[in-house]
Amino acid sequence: MILEVPTTDGSCGSFNDLRPGMVTVVGVPFDENSSFMRGPALAPARIREVLHAGSTNLCSESGIDLGTEPRFRDLGDLEFASGVVAFEQIEKTIAELLDRNVYVLSLGGDHAVTYPILKAYGKQYDKLNILHLDAHPDLYDEFEGNRLSNACPFARIMEENLAARLVQVGIRAMTPHQRMQAERYGVEIIEMRKWQPELNLDFRGPVYLSLDMDVLDPAFAPGVSHHEPGGPSTRDVLQLIHSLRVPITGADIVEFNPKRDPLGITAMAAAKFLKEIAACMLESN
Ligand code: MN
Ligand code: MN
């Protein structure tokens, strides 16, 4: 089922057999902008490994079998050079996929990769709503001198007007600077201390879902670089995703760090989210 597609310079002829409406998975193994600890570049391969290890199947809870679903395709990992040029190549390849009218579910990488992905989405979709699940708002103007840090992507996204609305859920480590940034950019934040079982997220159009694995309580997902206790369970997050009643036109699952995940618990949680988000994308579009 896995197609390893060579995407050397971002232009890939193998995208030719993609049909409009497909949900495609791409790995974005890039963690050079991680502010604390490297490791998320190993995530896409590890997520695929546990997904296909035989301990689980490829069915979503709603009954969609990704193993036989003709509208689902794993395209393998994007290839890109090291350094700042990587973002241009990621953006270009995602834009080529969107030109083919497919939906993209990206496997990071650290959260910095969401910026080039959403730049590509911004060209294709006017006024996209972003639902951002994270322990952190990632709104730093710059972090330790790096404006492309994994602590900054949503500052870049908002200053470039790539979102109609940015709704952040699960936040529980917000600095005064980031509170000011949130006000400046009109970010809607549901802090973790205000989380309720039935969060009524009132979206009126397509949603891009950005899922940082550290939104989960570390008890459910120890394999992340930034442990932030007091988060939701895997089921809480699944329930939130399942409750969306608008099309999910794109998504990313980021910040899984296999180096901190000796038992594979976080890898399997990420694989579970892959299945459930892909199914929601298939069902909602
Ligand atoms: Mn994040
Ligand atoms: Mn985070």
Side-chain angles (χ1 to χ4, degrees):
M1 198 200 75
I2 302 288
L3 298 180
E4 292 298 333
V5 179
T7 57
T8 45
D9 62 352
S11 62
C12 181
S14 310
F15 292 176
N16 282 336
D17 67 336
L18 294 175
R19 294 189 305 281
M22 278 184 163
V23 171
T24 59
V25 170
V26 294
V28 189
F30 191 67
D31 63 8
E32 291 180 17
N33 290 300
S34 290
S35 57
F36 179 64
M37 181 184 281
R38 300 284 287 268
L42 304 168
R46 181 67 179 135
I47 294 169
R48 291 192 180 95
E49 186 185 348
V50 299
L51 195 60
H52 298 286
S55 86
T56 184
N57 56 54
L58 290 170
C59 292
S60 73
E61 294 186 359
S62 65
I64 289 185
D65 184 354
L66 298 178
T68 59
E69 169 58 54
R71 287 177 60 211
F72 177 78
R73 183 81 58 85
D74 186 342
L75 298 174
D77 289 348
L78 304 188
E79 285 183 13
F80 38 79
S82 176
V84 285
V85 71
F87 275 14
E88 289 167 29
Q89 293 171 336
I90 292 166
E91 180 187 340
K92 183 166 178 275
T93 312
I94 299 291
E96 280 181 28
L97 283 166
L98 296 178
D99 281 343
R100 296 184 180 279
N101 294 309
V102 300
Y103 306 104
V104 182
L105 169 50
S106 309
L107 306 177
D110 65 39
H111 218 152
V113 305
T114 300
Y115 172 46
I117 293 168
L118 275 169
K119 275 177 91 167
Y121 262 87
K123 286 186 204 136
Q124 199 82 9
Y125 291 89
D126 203 23
K127 301 289 175 194
L128 205 57
N129 300 297
I130 301 174
L131 174 57
H132 169 204
L133 307 182
D134 202 325
H136 316 92
D138 295 350
L139 282 167
Y140 281 98
D141 183 53
E142 55 88 22
F143 195 83
E144 294 175 347
N146 181 8
R147 287 172 59 82
L148 300 178
S149 163
N150 68 338
C152 305
F154 290 93
R156 300 291 83 75
I157 286 160
M158 296 311 279
E159 71 192 11
E160 292 193 26
N161 280 316
L162 298 175
R165 287 174 68 193
L166 173 58
V167 179
Q168 301 185 323
V169 181
I171 308 300
R172 55 191 184 276
M174 189 157 43
T175 61
H177 165 67
Q178 293 193 93
R179 249 177 231 286
M180 274 171 44
Q181 289 279 85
E183 272 180 44
R184 175 180 170 195
Y185 293 123
V187 182
E188 300 163 60
I189 300 184
I190 300 173
E191 294 184 48
M192 190 60 217
R193 59 194 175 139
K194 303 276 174 62
W195 181 293
Q196 294 171 349
E198 304 284 330
L199 279 176
N200 188 16
L201 298 178
D202 181 28
F203 288 111
R204 300 259 160 88
V207 164
Y208 180 96
L209 172 63
S210 187
L211 171 55
D212 183 326
M213 289 298 291
D214 71 32
V215 73
L216 292 175
D217 192 280
F220 296 90
V224 295
S225 301
H226 307 266
H227 290 151
E228 206 61 63
S233 70
T234 311
R235 176 50 56 186
D236 291 333
V237 173
L238 287 170
Q239 193 169 329
L240 179 63
I241 294 168
H242 288 156
S243 74
L244 294 173
R245 290 290 167 262
V246 289
I248 304 176
T249 54
D252 58 62
I253 301 170
V254 296
E255 293 287 342
F256 162 42
N257 187 342
K259 288 184 174 172
R260 298 188 114 183
D261 193 38
L263 297 178
I265 292 170
T266 316
M268 195 53 95
K272 172 82 173 173
F273 286 131
L274 185 163
K275 289 196 290 184
E276 295 304 316
I277 293 170
C280 286
M281 290 169 79
L282 287 162
E283 288 167 317
S284 67
N285 284 293

